[in-house]
Amino acid sequence: MKFSAENAARKWPCGRTEAAMVTVAVVLLTACGPASAARRPDPFPWSGLFGDHRQRPRKSHPSTSILPVSVPLPRPRPAEAPAIEAEKPVPDTPRAPSASTAPPGDRPAEPAPVPGPVTVPIAPSPSACRLALTDAIAIAPSIPDIHGPGGCGGEDLVRLEAVVLPDKRQVALKPAAILRCAMASQIADWVRTDIAPLTTGLGSVIGVLDNFDSFECRGRNRVVGAPLSEHGRANALDVRAFTLANGQSVSLTDRTVPREMRENVLHSVCTRFTTVLGPGSDGYHEDHIHLDLMQRRNNYKICQWYVWDAMPRIAPLLPAERPDEAPPREVAAKPDAANPQASPSDTAKPDDTAKSDGAAPDPGATESATNKPATKKRR
């Protein structure tokens, strides 16, 4: 493109002064454009539209520039000042070898670490039942609480191993029973007060209490889905028999045991325990006696134990034979007047029977039969 003042004057009708000014401006723009473009990067195409917002470097002022600071030298020491004494050398003292640098054999023994405070769990104070159940009454050490599924277990539990009688003899429980303290205390008092004097009438003293079942986490009567048994709460004991000191075993459900003794045991357990189940109760306790201390509304108790009679030695299966000296059986004739609706076969007379057998009728027998009143036939 050729541009000159003449062309500008020809294109824009203005005076020569204005044309000269335009020419000078074009020359300046042409000269300064490449240099400024080289110094600055190409801006964004639309950056000039809103202005260039880039931060410009600040000019440093002469007051803020770092100037070299002259450090003043110390003044010379005056002549009248005392002389400086030389420092005496400190003798080197031998240091004890540290535990890390000393050889393994020469290392001193490390002091034992001081143990910190040990937190010991505080045991709960014993219950009143536990304090009352001393070794003079029963051998029943305490055991930890049991918390099983479905409410099984309990607190204040003991392992009842033996009952101590007033004369210091021991009645062992075989096997040992895991019970709550209240139940174990009631069993011990029952053996000491009721059973021990009762067995003396059999010619010996009690030595062993047969424990059929005590604590067991199960439902009632071992039925699936049944409510939790008192055995699952360690609140029940199943007793099957006593063993005397002479070796004799006395079963509480045996019919050969004197009925009076079994009834005495029945009365004692029904007085002390809230639940007593035995033969004839529900079919699950035919061979043992169930005892527990289940709490019910209004102190309701259950005592279901039927003391059966002794079985006869010989069962009367058939009737006894008729002795030979017994009088002959008499059959009474029923008159027609007494029973007008009787059939001809029922009103048959003995003489008719005799005629049918071919024998001659006896007039005396017929007359005596008609004069006697009617009697019931014997069987």
Side-chain angles (χ1 to χ4, degrees), residues 357-368:
D357 294 338
D362 188 2
T366 304
E367 183 178 0
S368 61

Side-chain angles (χ1 to χ4, degrees), residues 23-312:
T23 303
V24 172
V26 171
V27 172
L28 292 175
L29 289 173
T30 306
C32 298
S36 61
R39 288 195 304 268
R40 294 183 301 174
D42 294 336
F44 194 74
W46 298 286
S47 62
L49 193 64
F50 303 101
D52 191 2
H53 300 286
R54 291 179 298 176
Q55 186 178 4
R56 297 179 180 180
R58 298 181 180 179
K59 295 181 180 181
S60 60
H61 297 281
S63 59
T64 59
S65 60
I66 301 175
L67 299 177
V69 179
S70 59
V71 180
L73 298 176
R75 291 182 297 175
R77 182 179 181 82
E80 61 273 8
I84 300 175
E85 296 180 359
E87 296 181 358
K88 297 180 180 180
V90 180
D92 296 337
T93 56
R95 297 180 179 179
S98 61
S100 59
T101 59
D106 298 340
R107 292 181 182 178
E110 297 181 357
V114 179
V118 180
T119 58
V120 179
I122 301 175
S125 58
S127 63
C129 175
R130 176 69 268 185
L131 296 175
L133 191 63
T134 61
D135 293 340
I137 297 176
I139 307 300
S142 298
I143 62 175
D145 299 342
I146 299 176
H147 300 284
C152 281
E155 300 177 352
D156 197 15
L157 303 179
V158 300
R159 185 175 63 251
L160 184 59
E161 300 176 356
V163 177
V164 181
L165 299 180
D167 57 0
K168 305 303 179 182
R169 290 185 298 105
Q170 295 185 2
V171 178
L173 271 79
K174 294 186 178 180
I178 296 178
L179 301 169
R180 298 194 180 197
C181 181
M183 183 65 183
S185 179
Q186 191 66 260
I187 291 292
D189 190 43
W190 173 57
V191 173
R192 288 165 54 91
T193 307
D194 297 345
I195 301 303
L198 188 61
T199 55
T200 55
L202 300 176
S204 184
V205 293
I206 184 174
V208 176
L209 180 64
D210 186 4
N211 171 24
F212 190 62
D213 191 15
S214 58
F215 170 70
E216 184 181 358
C217 188
R218 60 174 176 85
R220 293 178 183 174
N221 301 324
R222 294 183 174 86
V223 177
V224 178
L228 183 64
S229 173
E230 289 300 304
H231 288 281
R233 297 185 175 93
N235 197 32
L237 180 69
D238 289 346
V239 181
R240 185 162 51 183
F242 308 134
T243 301
L244 304 181
N246 58 6
Q248 179 184 358
S249 179
V250 180
S251 176
L252 298 179
T253 59
D254 188 4
R255 292 189 175 188
T256 60
V257 176
R259 179 186 177 92
E260 182 180 359
M261 178 185 177
R262 289 180 288 149
E263 288 181 346
N264 291 335
V265 176
L266 169 65
H267 296 324
S268 67
V269 294
C270 289
T271 303
R272 292 179 174 273
F273 301 96
T274 60
T275 305
V276 178
L277 299 176
S281 59
D282 54 4
Y284 293 97
H285 303 85
E286 299 298 320
D287 57 348
H288 66 277
I289 307 301
H290 170 90
L291 309 173
D292 69 46
L293 290 176
M294 181 179 181
Q295 297 296 325
R296 298 183 182 88
R297 188 178 302 174
N298 299 328
N299 296 327
Y300 181 75
K301 292 185 177 182
I302 295 177
C303 183
Q304 297 179 357
W305 174 12
Y306 295 94
V307 179
W308 305 115
D309 293 331
M311 295 293 293

